[in-house]
Amino acid sequence: MQSNNNSYRKLNPSQHVFELYLFVNPIGLKCLNSEHEVLHFIESLELNEGFKVHFRFLTFHNFNTVTQYMKRLNMPTNDLQLRNQIYETIYEASLAYKAALMQGKKRGRKFLMLLQKELNINMAEYSSDLLIEVAKGANLDVEMFLEDKASSFVKSSYDADQK
């Protein structure tokens, strides 16, 4: 009797592509750490296992994101003015990341991670000057970056990501 074991096929790395989406707070330290872990994991899969991985970091903002951020920094969560300011900062940082992505995925990721590092490790204050400094650090065309950030295309593209 011949055994026909077609129900099990060994996973062949060259035939499989994984898609990975990581939703992140563009100003959050936990998200920066998660991004580093994901990049390390992807590198390991591609180098050691031969798998191909397509991935995207998607920024998002909502009231839960703001609350978690405020709690992590021991901010009063009932301060509505502060809450609105943080909400707006997360939104603006998300648009900045989306604008940076217009100059390439790697540059966009570098921009995001540099921004998170500046805000969380170096304790820089979020500002237009900081965005320009980070854009330069990510080797972006700063003039184009600022134009893209203000464009309706970036805003509608970000809104599409939120859905």
Side-chain angles (χ1 to χ4, degrees):
M1 183 169 152
Q2 188 177 16
S3 174
N4 187 357
N5 193 359
N6 287 336
S7 62
Y8 173 76
R9 290 187 179 146
K10 187 172 181 176
L11 199 59
N12 183 348
S14 65
Q15 296 176 343
H16 295 280
V17 176
F18 292 100
E19 290 192 46
L20 179 76
Y21 295 88
L22 181 64
F23 294 86
V24 299
N25 175 352
I27 65 171
L29 179 62
K30 283 185 177 182
C31 291
L32 175 61
N33 294 334
S34 296
E35 291 157 22
H36 282 294
E37 288 179 27
V38 165
L39 290 173
H40 179 71
F41 172 71
I42 290 169
E43 183 180 306
S44 172
L45 268 180
E46 290 182 341
L47 288 177
N48 300 329
E49 305 295 329
F51 291 103
K52 182 69 178 156
V53 181
H54 295 271
F55 66 97
R56 287 182 58 195
F57 295 158
L58 297 168
T59 57
F60 72 101
H61 74 294
N62 58 31
F63 292 113
N64 189 36
T65 307
V66 174
T67 300
Q68 288 175 3
Y69 181 81
M70 293 177 80
K71 285 181 178 179
R72 185 181 71 76
L73 296 177
N74 296 316
M75 296 176 172
T77 57
N78 59 349
D79 183 335
L80 291 181
Q81 184 176 357
L82 180 60
R83 179 178 286 279
N84 287 337
Q85 178 185 349
I86 292 168
Y87 187 87
E88 185 66 23
T89 298
I90 293 172
Y91 176 68
E92 288 296 320
S94 295
L95 293 179
Y97 169 58
K98 197 70 172 171
L101 285 171
M102 306 266 307
Q103 296 185 37
K105 285 173 46 174
K106 287 184 181 179
R107 286 183 182 179
R109 273 195 313 275
K110 185 174 182 181
F111 173 86
L112 175 64
M113 295 173 85
L114 285 173
L115 179 62
Q116 290 167 319
K117 180 182 176 190
E118 286 299 318
L119 293 171
N120 293 288
I121 296 171
N122 298 338
M123 302 309 290
E125 187 173 325
Y126 186 87
S127 67
S128 296
D129 290 339
L130 177 64
L131 290 181
I132 291 169
E133 179 184 319
V134 171
K136 288 177 183 175
N139 299 317
L140 298 178
D141 177 327
V142 175
E143 187 177 323
M144 184 182 294
F145 164 75
L146 293 174
E147 286 177 22
D148 287 341
K149 184 181 175 295
S151 74
S152 60
F153 176 77
V154 164
K155 290 175 184 160
S156 62
S157 179
Y158 177 70
D159 290 342
D161 285 349
Q162 294 297 288
K163 293 177 183 172

